[in-house]
Amino acid sequence: MHETTPAESTDPGQRSPAMTVLQVVLGLEFLALAGVTVWLLVELVTSPATSLASGIALTILTAIAALWLGSLFVGLRNRRSWVRSGIIVWQVLQGALAIGAFQGVFRVAWFGWLLLIPALLAITLVLSKSVTAALVRPDGERG
């Protein structure tokens, strides 16, 4: 039988500080998006929408994104190798939203920074050696 434990960690349950911080960042992003989903749902029910179809679509898309981010969080906690690409995609999308918050007529710089800083931190962490080593898939293992 071959060794499947990454070289940096002798204890399979031990997490690197980078992995822990990445989990915290992703967990906070998930909670924030879940909160936005609940807020949109309440707004949809209590406030008259200019376009009901658009309000419903935005709420559904936000809920789907929250579920996706939640699955990334669970996958990261379970050290699944597939989460790296999903985390990077999410952070790039979040960075694009941040850039949009810095520009335009309704620019809100503090909100842009609130989105951009965790996105840059998460991309840096998910590409770090310790997180990459923790998420590497042993030969022959699926999923």
Side-chain angles (χ1 to χ4, degrees):
M1 182 174 234
H2 63 281
E3 180 64 36
T4 59
T5 306
E8 284 104 21
S9 174
T10 56
D11 179 17
Q14 181 183 1
R15 296 198 185 272
S16 68
M19 185 76 145
T20 303
V21 172
L22 180 60
Q23 258 192 307
V24 168
V25 168
L26 207 62
L28 290 174
E29 288 174 348
F30 166 68
L31 290 175
L33 193 57
V36 167
T37 303
V38 169
W39 178 72
L40 284 173
L41 187 59
V42 168
E43 285 291 312
L44 186 64
V45 172
T46 61
S47 300
T50 305
S51 170
L52 186 60
S54 294
I56 291 171
L58 180 63
T59 305
I60 289 172
L61 288 174
T62 306
I64 291 169
L67 290 172
W68 178 44
L69 198 53
S71 70
L72 290 175
F73 176 76
V74 171
L76 182 65
R77 187 188 69 209
N78 294 334
R79 294 185 180 194
R80 301 292 183 221
S81 60
W82 55 265
V83 301
R84 291 184 70 223
S85 59
I87 291 171
I88 291 171
V89 167
W90 176 257
Q91 302 311 324
V92 168
L93 292 173
Q94 188 170 310
L97 287 173
I99 291 170
F102 290 128
Q103 302 172 353
V105 177
F106 301 109
R107 68 181 128 231
V108 184
W110 67 267
F111 189 71
W113 288 114
L114 190 66
L115 292 172
L116 188 61
I117 291 171
L120 292 175
L121 178 63
I123 286 175
T124 303
L125 291 172
V126 81
L127 295 175
S128 69
K129 285 184 180 183
S130 61
V131 172
T132 302
L135 295 178
V136 72
R137 186 170 56 184
D139 292 336
E141 180 183 313
R142 297 231 181 231

